[in-house]
Amino acid sequence: MIPLLDVAELEVRFPVRQKAGLARRTPSFVHAVDDVSLTVAAGETVGLVGESGCGKSTLARTLCRLIDATAGSIRLEGREIVDTHVRRAAKAPWRGDIQLVFQDALDAINPRMTAFQAIADPLKRLRGVRSGPELTATVTEVAASCGIAETLLGRFPHQLSGGQRARVGIARAIACRPKLLVLDEPTAALDVSVQVVILQLLARLKRELGMSYVFVSHDLNVVRMFCDRIIVMYLGKIVEIGPADEVFRHPRHPYTRALIQAIPSGIPGAAPQAVIEGEAKSPIDPNPNACRFVGRCPNEERRCSEAAPPFVSLSRTHQARCHLLRGSE
Ligand SMILES: Nc1ncnc2c1ncn2[C@@H]1O[C@H](COP(=O)(O)OP(=O)(O)OP(=O)(O)O)[C@@H](O)[C@H]1O
Ligand SMILES: [Mg+2]
């Protein structure tokens, strides 16, 4: 069966501006997303984790075609969408099927739009619904399903609380009934009690509307609870991918292990867990013939600096990119 989303060898590079007088013959690039292949099945929730700057938002935005890819393929229900230029993609018929929920709802909502207008906007733009009773009824219904009272619909973003804005951001994203919702740290800007409520809302909407989620988060506990599969990124590359439960119980890549060991236990007085030392290398023109984790890896060997590690299949559904792993097949 064709997966809902099928991404192959995706690459996103940003040119680095050269300082005046330092013009080099070969331009430099930030390798924000490098050789990323993944699938998302209908109804599946895939978690995307990794430290700040590893390329999660760039990947999320590229999937929703808000950023042009440098190379690779993105197929939505078998249809190639990577070639459509960002400006065209904004109005493409499939654009309503894949929607992004931004980390901060303020990024998604035009400050001059009321909550009503913000939710109505994608319906008008992507589904061709005209202003009138049908639009009003749909917006009111979508808002209600996200817990937004009708009295709030006339308010501008700055007149809403963070939690209310998050709800408007979600309502706007689901208004077109997308098949895939890409959520870029949807609760990061909220306090803990509101985070729980928003996560419950997202879980309910997923059940009711049968959507698939790509769920970007810093919070590994949330990812474990919420996701069927997990993808771990490090400096633009996927280093481990597998069923969430399996990855959490038996992380195989040293970076994933460190991430999981660093999860706060929640036990008062418990000793702090090991965290990865040092900083990640620069994402600008990384060495193609070395593992990106070199310099921070506790198990590093000479070959790690001499060749990029291949993906090793640990089971039918679990893979990691490390020289030191042996495959199951
Ligand atoms: N428009 C851009 N131009 C140049 N470099 C960029 C651009 N957008 C992102 N980057 C770089 O790409 C890399 C990945 O950034 P990205 O925002 O995707 O990381 P992230 O994993 O989402 O981080 P965070 O967890 O902090 O949100 C970073 O090195 C960043 O500086
Ligand atoms: Mg980000």
Side-chain angles (χ1 to χ4, degrees):
M1 212 169 80
I2 300 174
L4 176 64
L5 185 76
D6 190 354
V7 177
E9 295 168 17
L10 192 68
E11 190 181 285
V12 184
R13 294 186 181 176
F14 298 110
V16 178
R17 224 182 272 161
Q18 309 280 355
K19 278 193 192 144
L22 282 180
R24 285 169 35 178
R25 223 175 282 156
T26 47
S28 289
F29 291 91
V30 174
H31 292 226
V33 172
D34 206 349
D35 190 19
V36 162
S37 300
L38 59 97
T39 57
V40 181
E44 192 182 26
T45 297
V46 177
L48 186 59
V49 300
E51 71 196 310
S52 186
C54 72
K56 304 181 297 296
S57 294
T58 306
L59 176 56
R61 287 171 189 232
T62 309
L63 296 181
C64 297
R65 304 296 294 103
L66 302 178
I67 294 178
D68 278 327
T70 314
S73 148
I74 305 172
R75 287 178 186 274
L76 186 64
E77 293 187 308
R79 175 207 290 244
E80 182 60 80
I81 62 169
V82 86
D83 302 326
T84 316
H85 187 278
V86 164
R87 239 173 290 148
R88 284 239 185 112
K91 290 183 194 141
W94 46 263
R95 188 60 184 77
D97 293 338
I98 176 166
Q99 289 280 303
L100 182 69
V101 174
F102 290 78
Q103 173 170 339
D104 190 338
L106 279 179
D107 288 345
I109 310 170
N110 183 332
R112 284 184 290 274
M113 279 186 183
T114 62
F116 180 95
Q117 288 167 330
I119 302 168
D121 173 57
L123 284 164
K124 288 164 130 177
R125 209 160 25 86
L126 301 168
R127 294 288 190 241
V129 185
R130 298 245 179 98
S131 297
E134 187 201 337
L135 183 68
T136 306
T138 310
V139 170
T140 314
E141 189 198 315
V142 170
S145 74
C146 293
I148 304 162
E150 232 178 305
T151 48
L152 296 180
L153 288 175
R155 293 203 195 166
F156 290 94
H158 71 274
Q159 298 169 323
L160 297 168
S161 72
Q164 288 165 344
R165 272 202 298 267
R167 287 178 193 273
V168 173
I170 294 166
R172 176 180 160 86
I174 64 159
C176 292
R177 291 286 182 117
K179 293 172 179 156
L180 177 66
L181 210 54
V182 179
L183 300 126
D184 189 3
E185 307 210 41
T187 59
L190 305 170
D191 76 54
V192 178
S193 59
V194 184
Q195 279 184 15
V196 173
V197 179
I198 296 296
L199 287 170
Q200 286 168 343
L201 168 68
L202 289 169
R204 178 172 57 78
L205 290 172
K206 183 171 181 293
R207 264 196 323 273
E208 287 175 2
L209 304 178
M211 291 177 284
S212 301
Y213 284 174
V214 171
F215 188 83
V216 179
S217 179
H218 267 116
D219 190 332
L220 274 89
N221 283 320
V222 170
V223 170
R224 179 172 203 171
M225 227 170 51
F226 211 67
C227 300
D228 304 310
R229 279 193 303 137
I230 172 169
I231 294 174
V232 184
M233 280 182 81
Y234 188 82
L235 269 182
K237 289 216 181 205
I238 294 180
V239 294
E240 187 155 358
I241 182 165
D245 217 41
E246 195 175 318
V247 172
F248 273 93
R249 275 190 291 120
H250 303 293
R252 302 296 299 275
H253 193 282
Y255 176 65
T256 317
R257 285 196 180 149
L259 270 186
I260 289 172
Q261 272 173 11
I263 298 176
S265 66
I267 303 164
Q273 299 294 308
V275 280
I276 326 148
E277 287 178 6
E279 286 205 20
K281 284 188 187 313
S282 165
I284 300 171
D285 299 338
N287 179 358
N289 298 317
C291 172
R292 302 244 163 125
F293 199 39
V294 157
R296 287 176 106 187
C297 180
N299 313 331
E300 199 173 311
E301 292 182 354
R302 202 166 137 191
R303 57 183 160 162
C304 307
S305 308
E306 293 175 346
F311 259 124
V312 177
S313 285
L314 305 158
S315 73
R316 203 174 47 80
T317 49
H318 187 180
Q319 286 127 38
R321 216 193 271 262
C322 174
H323 280 301
L324 279 75
L325 292 173
R326 287 241 175 86
S328 64
E329 286 136 36

